[in-house]
């Protein structure tokens, strides 16, 4: 195959899908001097992005966007991709109603790419970045070959290249990935490796493998991260029953063991977001389809689901009757530095509290807009922390935003009932007066 990857500034890159991965990748590539064409079938979304109205909050994204958007062409027109030497596919793969991964977006993209390959003579390398269950890349490849009437290798290249960026750190992770995994067809694999080597000046570990292994690596990665979190959450729950025990000391100590590693050992309300829960569920369904018992993965999921009930039960035990009690929630997004509330544990907790007719008031530096779309006027929203805390019967810290770490006793003076539940232990060293309960230290009130 005669792929020509020209000099970096001249290389034209296509990206299909303007979500977290696609948009972050587009601005980083443009910043590095590439010409980028970003395609999304959602015309409204593309129109807004073109008007510099970004669809979500992500640190550094708007700064990068403003600096580099002149090198990005935004469109819903797939035909423009004919100009590209490399085309990255970054569309979403949500969970369908049956618990299996919904591949309709990637399949549709496969058809569109097939159509333009049929009509023109360009020889791109297609790179599937979307998270897909093993076997999917070959299915998509078959769609492209059937529609284009062209064979991979001769007329186009096709590889799988999973993405590991985190929300809230999307730009940093795109600029500085910890690993590059490329699976699939040999010639194209080498070329994409070369492309990344040119793009990243420093050495990044590269794993070259086949389609299926590359696909599975992504699921193994996210499932392992989920496992670490559920593991430490279970240890935290045990700590809550041991007077004097502290989960952070346990995590710090075991994290020093290089065989364990210290990251992703922060106990809390459970993991949320659009990736860990979805990917774990997809791997469970896939294992079951294969006839393999996903017992560990299911336990990880069950442990995670348990955390929200645990927090809810503590509030109920402390306040007895939740009806008309003012319960203040600090943090709505599933993690700090994000406005994303998908699978956020905060949202699940609020739903439970509303069912008990509590008067729920919420604060978040970024995620109020998204939360309003769900709860509308069923809860109250405020951008003032003092207002949230005033006359409150119970304050629950859910997301570890920086500004919540600065809270101290003087901020809680006007609470009606000084009950503070800190699911992230942000204030654990502040000798908080009143009843201060935190996950992994004394949530069950057995100590201190
Ligand atoms: C996750 C992975 O970390 C990324 O590598 C991956 O690329 C991404 O999914 C994806 O598949 O797209 P993300 O969902 O952005 O990234 O967020 P994480 O940083 O993984 O956090 C997930 C959840 O776990 C959050 O609710 C966070 O608060 C929680 N968490 C994380 C803990 O409770 N404790 C920890 O120690 C770490």
């Amino acid at each position: 195959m005669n792929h020509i990857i020209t000099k970096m500034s001249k290389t034209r890159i296509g990206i299909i899908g303007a979500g977290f991965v696609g948009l972050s990748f587009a601005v980083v590539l443009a910043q590095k001097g590439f010409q980028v064409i970003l395609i999304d079938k959602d015309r409204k979304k593309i129109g807004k992005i073109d008007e510099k109205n970004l669809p979500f909050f992500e640190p550094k994204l708007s700064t990068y966007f403003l600096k580099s958007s002149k090198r990005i062409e935004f469109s819903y027109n797939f035909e423009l991709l004919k100009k590209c030497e490399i085309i990255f596919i970054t569309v979403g793969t949500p969970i369908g109603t049956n618990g299996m991964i919904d591949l309709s977006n990637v399949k549709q993209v496969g058809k569109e790419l097939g159509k333009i390959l049929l009509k023109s003579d360009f020889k791109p390398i297609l790179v599937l970045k979307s998270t897909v269950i093993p076997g999917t890349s070959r299915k998509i490849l078959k769609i492209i070959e059937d529609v284009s009437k062209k064979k991979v290798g001769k007329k186009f290249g096709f590889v799988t290249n999973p993405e590991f960026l985190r929300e809230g750190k999307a730009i940093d992770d795109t600029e500085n990935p910890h690993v590059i995994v490329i699976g699939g067809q040999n010639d194209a694999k080498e070329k994409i490796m070369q492309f990344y080597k040119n793009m990243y000046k420093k050495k990044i570990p590269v794993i070259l493998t086949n389609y299926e292994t590359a696909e599975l690596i992504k699921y193994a990665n996210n499932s392992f991260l989920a496992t670490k979190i559920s593991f430490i959450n279970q240890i935290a729950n045990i700590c809550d029953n041991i007077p004097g025990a502290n989960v952070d000391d346990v995590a710090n100590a075991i994290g020093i063991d290089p065989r364990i590693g210290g990251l992703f050992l922060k106990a809390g309300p459970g993991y949320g977001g659009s990736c860990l829960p979805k990917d774990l569920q997809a791997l469970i369904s896939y294992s079951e389809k294969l006839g393999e018992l996903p017992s560990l993965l299911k336990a990880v999921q069950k442990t995670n689901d348990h955390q929200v009930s645990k927090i809810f039960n503590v509030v109920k035990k402390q306040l007895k009757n939740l009806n008309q009690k003012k319960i203040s929630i600090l943090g709505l997004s599933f993690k700090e530095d994000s406005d994303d509330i998908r699978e956020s544990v905060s949202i699940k907790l609020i739903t439970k509290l509303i069912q008990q007719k509590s008067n729920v008031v919420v604060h978040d530096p970024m995620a109020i807009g998204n939360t309003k779309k769900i709860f509308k006027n069923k809860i109250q929203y405020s951008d003032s922390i003092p207002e949230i805390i005033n006359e409150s019967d119970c304050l629950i810290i859910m997301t570890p935003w920086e500004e919540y770490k600065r809270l101290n006793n003087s901020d809680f003076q006007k609470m009606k009932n000084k009950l503070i539940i800190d699911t992230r232990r942000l204030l654990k060293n502040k000798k908080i007066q009143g009843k201060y309960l935190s996950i992994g230290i004394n949530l069950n009130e057995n100590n201190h």
Side-chain angles (χ1 to χ4, degrees), residues 368-383:
I368 285 191
N370 284 337
T371 308
K372 277 185 179 165
K373 289 182 204 156
I374 297 186
F375 294 114
K376 306 203 167 68
N377 61 2
K378 289 195 187 121
I379 59 173
Q380 288 168 284
Y381 309 85
S382 176
D383 51 14

Side-chain angles (χ1 to χ4, degrees), residues 23 38 42-55 62 65-66 69-70 72-76:
L23 204 47
L38 180 58
D42 184 342
R43 291 183 184 212
K44 230 163 109 188
K45 189 179 194 181
I46 280 290
K48 280 189 176 168
I49 297 174
D50 212 10
E51 287 162 11
K52 306 195 179 355
N53 187 354
L54 298 179
S62 60
F65 184 86
L66 291 176
S69 60
K70 57 183 179 300
I72 311 177
E73 194 173 345
F74 302 98
S75 181
Y76 49 84

Side-chain angles (χ1 to χ4, degrees), residues 164-165 167 218 222 264 266 271-272 275 334-335 424:
F164 300 99
L165 68 77
E167 285 186 29
K218 172 69 190 184
N222 271 357
F264 269 69
K266 286 205 189 90
Y271 58 80
C275 302
F334 81 103
K335 67 190 282 192
R424 308 274 187 166

Side-chain angles (χ1 to χ4, degrees), residues 304-318:
N304 198 55
D305 293 343
H306 171 72
Q307 287 306 89
V308 66
S309 311
K310 186 179 145 115
I311 300 164
F312 174 76
N313 289 337
V314 169
V315 183
K316 213 167 151 192
K317 183 176 138 200
Q318 291 293 332

Side-chain angles (χ1 to χ4, degrees), residues 278-316:
K278 162 180 87 84
D279 292 351
L280 190 72
Q281 177 54 52
L283 191 56
I284 288 172
S285 301
Y286 180 67
S287 306
E288 283 171 342
K289 205 175 135 207
L290 296 175
E292 292 298 334
L293 187 67
S295 47
L296 174 65
L297 303 177
K298 279 193 160 176
V300 169
Q301 197 176 47
K302 196 170 168 195
T303 306
N304 198 55
D305 293 343
H306 171 72
Q307 287 306 89
V308 66
S309 311
K310 186 179 145 115
I311 300 164
F312 174 76
N313 289 337
V314 169
V315 183
K316 213 167 151 192

